[in-house]
Amino acid sequence: MAEKRISAEQLGLAAGLEKADKKALFKWLLASFVFGKPIQQAVAERAYRILVEQRGLDTPARLAGCSQQELVRLLGQARYVRYDISTAARLHKLSRKLMAEYDGSVTAIRRQSPSRHDFAQRLLAFEGIGPKTVEIFMREAEAGLYGSTD
């Protein structure tokens, strides 16, 4: 039985991704990050919704401003407990690196990447982002970042 795949549309991000909207791209990167871990999709979706929709951690600055202890608590509230401590630490590192190296913007990563491959490599350089997270992210963000492949 195939596991349900969450989509950007289900999270209300599809239109923003089509336009390569800075805020939508960050939210989708955050969603891809939590969905990229070996954890139940329902738990990952709940974690995303708690972090972004309930707590408002929808920008790198807001995410970085939340304490690691608070992130662990929020992930625990979503029952994202198997990787809560490591995920909280990596979310902090992701937001800080994005702010320090890319002015807090996924579109800045795109501007600095001469190719799709380079863009993917830059994403992989973030601690906690692996091939699965990149696959999930690019599945729905690539068209907005690089134009439609139709």
Side-chain angles (χ1 to χ4, degrees), residues 111-124:
R111 282 191 305 273
Q112 293 180 33
S113 303
S115 68
R116 288 175 174 90
H117 175 76
D118 186 64
F119 181 86
Q121 293 304 306
R122 288 173 188 266
L123 288 180
L124 289 168

Side-chain angles (χ1 to χ4, degrees), residues 2 7 15 18 23 39-40 51-52 54 64 68 71 73 78 81 84 88-89 95 105-106 119 122 129 135 145:
S7 70
E18 288 173 13
K23 199 164 191 175
I39 199 155
Q40 292 177 358
L51 292 171
V52 172
Q54 291 180 19
Q68 186 168 330
L71 284 175
R73 188 188 69 72
V81 293
D84 58 348
S95 58
S105 171
V106 175
F119 181 86
R122 288 173 188 266
I129 292 184
E135 175 189 321
L145 289 168

Side-chain angles (χ1 to χ4, degrees), residues 2 11 23 27 33 36 45 48 66 74 93 96 100 102 104 111 116-117 123 126 132-133 135 137 140 147:
L11 298 177
K23 199 164 191 175
K27 289 179 184 180
F33 186 93
E45 180 179 0
Y48 170 84
C66 185
L74 293 170
K93 289 177 183 177
R96 285 190 208 116
Y102 299 104
R111 282 191 305 273
R116 288 175 174 90
H117 175 76
L123 288 180
F126 285 86
K132 189 64 175 175
T133 300
E135 175 189 321
F137 180 79
E140 300 203 35

Side-chain angles (χ1 to χ4, degrees), residues 19-76:
K19 297 182 232 171
D21 175 75
K22 178 179 176 177
K23 199 164 191 175
L25 284 165
F26 177 72
K27 289 179 184 180
W28 184 242
L29 181 61
L30 182 57
S32 300
F33 186 93
V34 295
F35 283 100
K37 305 295 178 245
I39 199 155
Q40 292 177 358
Q41 295 296 285
V43 172
E45 180 179 0
R46 192 167 40 246
Y48 170 84
R49 292 192 186 280
I50 287 170
L51 292 171
V52 172
E53 295 172 5
Q54 291 180 19
R55 188 63 165 78
L57 304 176
D58 57 357
T59 68
R62 288 181 182 159
L63 186 60
C66 185
S67 74
Q68 186 168 330
Q69 182 179 10
E70 178 68 2
L71 284 175
V72 170
R73 188 188 69 72
L74 293 170
L75 291 168

